[in-house]
Amino acid sequence: MTSVLLVCLGNICRSPMAEGILRARLRARGLTEAYTVDSAGTAGWHVGRPADPRTLEVLARHDALCPLTARQVAAEDFERFRWILAMDQSNLTDLQLRCPPALRDRLHLALAPTGGGDVPDPYYGGADGFEHVYRLLDTALDAWLARWEGQPSGV
Ligand code: 4NP
């Protein structure tokens, strides 16, 4: 079983987008049972709420919609998930501060396989920002999948 946690600030825009994309990719490849996938936010402002309607609209348009309820990163996530992908450097720094030192090699930038950098926060922008986030994550998650499929599973 390969376990993947997608993390952003609020868990309503970028990380649920990544979760929907990854679940759709796994479904298309018949790999759903081989992975545990979830998303969470470093902040707790939106806990219990559905993803932003603009994220849901983009996921629906790409046939990648799934149930998405915001939650905050919890201490046990660092043990539970072998791959913890942060949407930007600020999220990564927050995770590094909370993560037990022995588990810090589980933390990565989501865009690392496609050159690194941040997934821009689309929350205060327009709908085109959400489509841009979709494209960035779609390419990067394909690259992550190629990496995971080429090596023994994590926890
Ligand atoms: P996310 O975007 O981290 O991609 O979910 C944000 C969502 C909410 C806020 C900021 C960013 N906010 O300030 O409430």
Side-chain angles (χ1 to χ4, degrees):
M1 181 69 75
T2 301
S3 51
V4 185
L5 182 68
L6 295 317
V7 177
C8 63
L9 178 60
N11 193 214
I12 57 169
C13 298
R14 293 166 293 174
S15 62
M17 185 85 83
E19 180 180 347
I21 294 167
L22 184 53
R23 288 187 185 282
R25 288 281 168 282
L26 293 171
R27 209 160 45 239
R29 296 175 190 207
L31 290 171
T32 298
E33 303 302 320
Y35 282 74
T36 297
V37 178
D38 200 2
S39 65
T42 57
W45 309 313
H46 301 280
V47 168
R49 299 206 191 120
D52 188 287
R54 297 165 293 178
T55 284
L56 297 174
E57 189 276 323
V58 171
L59 287 175
R61 192 147 35 78
H62 291 280
D63 206 19
L65 202 53
C66 63
L68 295 161
T69 302
R71 74 169 178 90
Q72 192 168 12
V73 173
E76 54 271 25
D77 286 328
F78 299 108
E79 304 275 350
R80 282 183 61 210
F81 293 92
R82 169 61 185 85
W83 299 94
I84 300 176
L85 307 186
M87 296 299 130
D88 64 29
Q89 185 58 51
S90 164
N91 309 147
L92 182 61
T93 301
D94 277 351
L95 291 169
Q96 284 165 340
L97 290 171
R98 295 188 206 181
C99 183
L103 299 176
R104 281 195 191 135
D105 63 347
R106 299 178 170 208
L107 310 177
H108 304 270
L109 281 174
L111 299 188
T114 48
D118 292 351
V119 179
D121 185 349
Y123 185 62
Y124 293 106
D128 54 341
F130 285 74
E131 184 61 31
H132 181 56
V133 165
Y134 178 92
R135 291 216 199 91
L136 288 174
L137 288 169
D138 191 36
T139 310
L141 288 167
D142 261 352
W144 278 112
L145 271 170
R147 190 180 289 191
W148 295 327
E149 291 303 295
Q151 68 177 25
S153 318
V155 294

